[in-house]
């Protein structure tokens, strides 16, 4: 907790994410760490950065419906850290998460704010002396919750984005799974206008895409 509080001195958002992984690897016997954004819209996990001994790597190309990754899915549903190794690891993991042949384990740490999961950290390599027991998993779970609170606090200036009634309506319909065509028909506006509302809402929320924007609205309790 003391070390997480020190993160508040970090200037920009990108550096905050790097420091979160750096701190994680200094506390736990992890040799790498992947940071993912999570959106309940489509159960989408999107890669942000990966940190290992050689430095930082951007992993924006990794995008998964985590329902296809049962182990990660269960960790997010239960909002607690999980660990697997050996044969179970090979059954549960996508090859995109295996960068070297000696990888045979996986830990997943959900990043939570309250009951909402906003992201998760994955580790596939640990030090040779690492012991990942229930005590370690409890600590990892706590780390994910503390990071979630820290990120929520650091994002506080954006907690009440000034979305128009139409922008909010469009984003709510997206969360329900409606297409642009369906929204245009229901709202009696053109598809182009729908796209403009979506674009402006994403910009106001400081999000990367539709999934990220809906995830932010859900996390902040603006839509449910």
């Amino acid at each position: 907790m003391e070390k997480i509080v020190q993160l508040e001195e970090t200037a920009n958002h990108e550096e905050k994410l790097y420091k979160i992984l750096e701190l994680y690897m200094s506390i736990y016997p992890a040799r790498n760490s992947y940071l993912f954004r999570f959106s309940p819209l489509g159960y989408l996990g999107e890669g942000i950065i990966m940190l290992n001994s050689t430095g930082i790597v951007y992993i924006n190309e990794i995008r998964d419906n985590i329902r296809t990754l049962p182990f990660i899915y269960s960790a997010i549903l239960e909002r607690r850290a999980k660990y697997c190794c050996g044969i179970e690891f090979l059954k549960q993991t996508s090859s995109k998460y295996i960068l070297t042949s000696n990888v045979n384990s996986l830990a997943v740490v959900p990043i939570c704010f309250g009951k909402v999961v906003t992201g998760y950290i994955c580790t596939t390599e640990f030090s040779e002396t690492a012991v990942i027991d229930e005590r370690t998993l409890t600590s990892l779970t706590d780390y994910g919750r503390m990071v979630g609170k820290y990120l929520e606090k650091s994002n506080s200036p954006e907690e009440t984005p000034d979305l128009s009634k139409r922008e909010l309506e469009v984003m709510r319909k997206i969360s329900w799974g409606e297409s642009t065509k369906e929204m245009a028909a229901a709202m009696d506006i053109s598809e182009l206008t729908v796209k403009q509302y979506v674009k402006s809402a994403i910009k106001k929320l400081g999000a990367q895409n539709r999934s990220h924007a809906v995830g932010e609205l859900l996390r902040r309790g603006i839509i449910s």
Side-chain angles (χ1 to χ4, degrees):
M1 177 61 81
E2 291 176 356
K3 292 183 178 181
I4 287 176
V5 169
Q6 292 173 9
L7 293 177
E8 294 179 6
E9 300 174 3
T10 305
N12 59 63
H13 184 65
E14 185 173 281
E15 188 178 354
K16 287 175 185 175
L17 300 181
Y18 170 79
K19 290 292 185 180
I20 285 169
L21 293 188
E22 185 180 52
L23 177 57
Y24 168 83
M25 292 178 66
S26 73
I27 297 174
Y28 302 102
R31 288 182 172 174
N32 66 19
S33 54
Y34 297 76
L35 180 61
F36 293 85
R37 178 186 301 115
F38 173 70
S39 170
L41 176 64
Y43 297 90
L44 182 65
E46 299 178 287
I48 303 175
I49 55 174
M50 187 272 281
L51 187 63
N52 59 21
S53 59
T54 62
I56 188 172
V57 178
Y58 291 92
I59 55 171
N60 307 83
E61 75 282 358
I62 300 182
R63 299 185 67 187
D64 288 302
N65 180 334
I66 63 150
R67 287 175 293 186
T68 66
L69 301 168
F71 188 71
I72 296 177
Y73 185 37
S74 65
I76 287 178
L77 283 182
E78 296 174 29
R79 300 190 300 279
R80 63 184 180 90
K82 290 197 169 188
Y83 172 77
C84 66
C85 59
I87 297 298
E88 191 63 23
F89 165 77
L90 295 175
K91 290 179 181 178
Q92 301 281 6
T93 310
S94 165
S95 61
K96 289 184 289 186
Y97 297 81
I98 305 175
L99 301 184
T100 58
S101 58
N102 64 336
V103 170
N104 63 359
S105 59
L106 172 66
V108 181
V109 182
I111 297 173
C112 309
F113 180 70
K115 294 183 178 181
V116 180
V117 177
T118 59
Y120 54 97
I121 298 170
C122 288
T123 292
T124 58
E125 293 185 65
F126 300 87
S127 64
E128 294 178 1
T129 58
V131 177
I132 312 298
D133 55 15
E134 284 303 316
R135 183 177 179 181
T136 305
L137 291 175
T138 297
S139 178
L140 286 167
T141 299
D142 289 340
Y143 184 81
R145 291 172 180 169
M146 290 178 194
V147 166
K149 290 179 181 178
Y150 161 71
L151 288 174
E152 178 68 14
K153 182 178 179 181
S154 66
N155 290 336
S156 58
E158 299 177 352
E159 281 189 9
T160 54
D162 186 22
L163 296 187
S164 70
K165 184 178 179 180
R166 281 297 207 182
E167 289 167 347
L168 190 57
E169 183 180 1
V170 165
M171 298 311 295
R172 184 175 285 110
K173 286 179 178 294
I174 290 175
S175 73
W176 296 339
E178 292 190 15
S179 67
T180 300
K181 186 175 183 179
E182 289 172 330
M183 286 188 283
M187 298 169 69
D188 196 24
I189 56 178
S190 70
E191 291 184 36
L192 178 60
T193 301
V194 170
K195 291 177 181 178
Q196 289 173 336
Y197 284 136
V198 172
K199 185 177 180 180
S200 61
I202 289 172
K203 184 177 180 179
K204 288 180 180 180
L205 289 162
Q208 302 295 318
N209 49 44
R210 290 186 176 200
S211 298
H212 186 196
V214 170
E216 283 296 298
L217 290 170
L218 288 167
R219 178 176 65 84
R220 298 172 188 183
I222 296 172
I223 63 175
S224 59

